[in-house]
Amino acid sequence: MTYAIEAQGLTKRFGKTQALSGVDLTVEEGRVLGVLGPNGAGKTTTVRILATLLAPDEGTARVAGHDVVHEAKQVRRSIGLTGQYASVDEDLTGVQNLVMIGRLLDLSSRDAKARATELLAEFDLTDAGTRLVKTYSGGMRRRLDLAASLIGRPAVVYLDEPTTGLDPAKRDDVWDMVRALTAQGTTVLLTTQYLEEADALADEITVIDHGRVIAHDTARGLKQQVGGQTLEVRPLDLADLPAVREVLARIGSRDPEQPATDLLSVPVADDTALTSVVAELASRGIRVSELGLRLPSLDEVFYSLTGQKQADDQQEEEAA
Ligand SMILES: Nc1ncnc2c1ncn2[C@@H]1O[C@H](COP(=O)(O)OP(=O)(O)O)[C@@H](O)[C@H]1O
Ligand SMILES: [Mg+2]
């Protein structure tokens, strides 16, 4: 197995803030790794280290076979980076931006222009290419940013929260683009705060929180770890809440929770639970105003994973 990205024990401290406390991650060639975590988890710091923009305090990382500290130049030739903080110049046109980056990458003027034209077409920006970037919409800017990162045909691309702040339609555009990229065999490391996004785009997901990896799995595996789906029931009559609680307690993998005064929820392993709950409620004559299954939210994933981790740590301490 060949890894395009291989990081071990990355730590990084900024003054009093321990941004990373030993992050390990690997991405096989041609695969997409989703790095999932809330604000401040250490996603951008990890990406910056892997992009040679920041040296780790401890730990090592190799990208496309090269060490990010000792072979930074070779690493930079292998990667494309689109940041939370866009790299394109507002006062240039789309074409000018791409040509300039091509020139910086040592392409001839002619090759840089050809590559710019090709990428603008690929990202549906041909017509906008001659306009100044400051007139672009948010979605167009993300697309240009992504195009800019691909000029040197990198083997590895980092996408740091590529859809944060975009509306759903533009987010879908970016998703399509990421899929096109991976169809060409590019290795992608994508950071996100949304489980749904990692689910849609990534082969595997590394969950980080407070600078540590708290889980690594496929999206499916993660959801199973946290109890698959959540079943929610809102009885029509508040007096039925205790009875509903009883029904849910029998079916769920944890005690039911009460997210609102008239709503009960419980994690369930699969959708067969829905049928049993409907049957049980009907047989007791309980009427409901709302009943449904939904996927766990990122909050629930974190809650469950961090809760699990604390329990594991405690067990380890007790065993020691
Ligand atoms: N240049 C910096 N100086 C000081 N603190 C920083 C710097 N960069 C990141 N941090 C801190 O490190 C932690 C991780 O940040 P970051 O990697 O940006 O997280 P994420 O991208 O997951 O939101 C945060 O607490 C952040 O405030
Ligand atoms: Mg970030």
Side-chain angles (χ1 to χ4, degrees):
M1 200 182 309
T2 328
Y3 291 118
I5 306 174
E6 208 173 354
Q8 262 155 13
L10 297 180
T11 72
K12 185 73 196 178
R13 176 188 283 275
F14 297 105
K16 280 185 185 155
T17 308
Q18 189 76 41
L20 300 181
S21 312
V23 166
D24 298 335
L25 58 84
T26 52
V27 192
E28 277 175 58
E29 261 175 30
R31 310 266 289 176
V32 183
L33 178 73
V35 174
L36 177 68
N39 242 330
K43 301 182 297 298
T44 298
T45 303
T46 304
V47 168
R48 290 181 66 206
I49 290 173
L50 296 176
T52 77
L53 298 174
L54 194 67
D57 294 339
E58 287 165 78
T60 57
R62 297 181 80 78
V63 174
H66 302 291
D67 185 277
V68 292
V69 174
H70 302 109
E71 299 167 294
K73 213 167 166 182
Q74 288 92 321
V75 171
R76 274 183 223 139
R77 274 194 217 119
S78 317
I79 61 171
L81 168 66
T82 78
Q84 232 171 334
Y85 311 103
S87 51
V88 293
D89 187 334
E90 297 247 309
D91 292 317
L92 297 179
T93 66
V95 174
Q96 286 169 336
N97 265 291
L98 297 189
V99 169
M100 181 185 73
I101 295 166
R103 299 288 284 149
L104 289 174
L105 291 169
D106 285 337
L107 294 186
S108 70
S109 171
R110 195 182 152 154
D111 287 349
K113 274 182 201 146
R115 185 73 180 132
T117 307
E118 183 181 48
L119 283 165
L120 288 169
E122 211 171 303
F123 287 86
D124 211 12
L125 289 168
T126 302
D127 292 342
T130 51
R131 273 170 43 198
L132 295 183
V133 171
K134 62 180 160 207
T135 69
Y136 282 22
S137 67
M140 289 163 76
R141 277 194 66 136
R142 295 296 163 106
R143 275 162 24 218
L144 184 67
D145 213 39
L146 194 47
S149 72
L150 300 180
I151 293 192
R153 301 180 199 281
V156 178
V157 171
Y158 305 130
L159 304 172
D160 193 13
E161 298 199 30
T163 66
T164 296
L166 291 186
D167 68 41
K170 286 174 193 137
R171 187 203 63 183
D172 286 350
D173 284 352
V174 173
W175 283 13
D176 286 345
M177 242 142 289
V178 175
R179 291 190 180 111
L181 197 61
T182 57
Q184 291 170 19
T186 310
T187 304
V188 175
L189 185 152
L190 165 118
T191 76
T192 181
Q193 299 187 35
Y194 314 115
L195 179 62
E196 191 196 0
E197 178 158 289
D199 193 6
L201 300 174
D203 299 304
E204 285 168 44
I205 299 173
T206 293
V207 185
I208 65 173
D209 189 26
H210 296 298
R212 286 177 199 283
V213 173
I214 58 171
H216 175 86
D217 208 331
T218 58
R220 197 190 154 82
L222 277 182
K223 286 182 200 158
Q224 278 166 352
Q225 273 190 51
V226 304
Q229 306 177 60
T230 299
L231 183 73
E232 291 181 325
V233 180
R234 200 185 292 271
L236 207 53
D237 187 348
L238 274 181
D240 286 330
L241 273 175
V244 172
R245 182 180 285 277
E246 225 179 275
V247 172
L248 292 185
R250 237 182 288 154
I251 260 140
S253 49
R254 259 209 321 260
D255 283 342
E257 284 175 29
Q258 192 164 353
T261 49
D262 58 346
L263 182 71
L264 287 168
S265 76
V266 78
V268 293
D270 59 61
D271 54 13
T272 60
L274 186 61
T275 343
S276 345
V277 166
V278 170
E280 185 63 27
L281 292 173
S283 81
R284 293 178 181 221
I286 298 171
R287 296 175 59 206
V288 300
S289 62
E290 197 181 321
L291 184 149
L293 270 179
R294 60 174 180 77
L295 291 174
S297 67
L298 181 56
D299 283 348
E300 286 161 331
V301 172
F302 278 116
Y303 173 80
S304 165
L305 290 172
T306 48
Q308 217 165 298
K309 193 173 172 305
Q310 276 160 11
D312 288 352
D313 288 351
Q314 216 162 11
Q315 252 176 12
E316 262 167 45
E317 261 168 45
E318 278 161 20

